Amino acid sequence: QVQLVESGGGSVQTGGSLRLSCAASRTVYGSYVGWFRQAPGKEREGVACIKPSGRTGYADIAKGRFTISQDKSVNTLYLQMNNVRPEDTAMYYCATGGTSCLSGRDYVDWGQGTQVTVSS
């Protein structure tokens, strides 16, 4: 099992930026790692992932605004969020051990989440 701890959430105005971090207890090789989010009253949705090949994948809501990256030397996953909108308000979670990009049910280990609130 991998322990994951997210940080970097907070309150930001529309058009602003945030960088979320996800510190892992160890590097997970050969699986997908990703970011997901869940807003109140809505289902969890995939945001972005890094595939075992190193390539990235993004949901439509993230394309052109969010960037996922990782630094394996410090076992940390990042999500750079630019030009945020009120509809980006949600709890953001990182996950590892995935077998597909944006399907949350295919991931094994999850963090506790970090809240992002975007005001207009």
Side-chain angles (χ1 to χ4, degrees):
Q1 188 174 6
V2 180
Q3 281 72 50
L4 302 170
V5 179
E6 300 95 335
S7 62
S11 297
V12 61
Q13 291 187 329
T14 297
S17 298
L18 279 175
R19 189 176 81 155
L20 307 183
S21 298
C22 171
S25 57
R26 62 180 176 85
T27 299
V28 179
Y29 295 96
S31 68
Y32 291 74
V33 294
W35 285 97
F36 295 80
R37 70 185 189 184
Q38 187 166 21
K42 295 188 177 181
E43 293 187 355
R44 181 179 61 198
E45 61 180 347
V47 176
C49 79
I50 299 178
K51 305 173 185 180
S53 64
R55 294 192 172 197
T56 56
Y58 294 92
D60 288 344
I61 51 95
K63 289 179 180 177
R65 299 189 300 130
F66 297 174
T67 302
I68 188 172
S69 62
Q70 64 180 8
D71 185 343
K72 291 185 177 180
S73 69
V74 291
N75 294 338
T76 302
L77 184 69
Y78 302 100
L79 184 69
Q80 177 68 42
M81 304 171 61
N82 296 329
N83 191 24
V84 295
R85 306 164 181 165
E87 53 264 40
D88 294 321
T89 295
M91 186 71 80
Y92 283 72
Y93 302 89
C94 62
T96 64
T99 56
S100 66
C101 187
L102 298 176
S103 177
R105 62 186 177 186
D106 295 333
Y107 283 72
V108 175
D109 297 302
W110 293 81
Q112 294 299 307
T114 185
Q115 177 67 39
V116 172
T117 302
V118 182
S119 59
S120 57

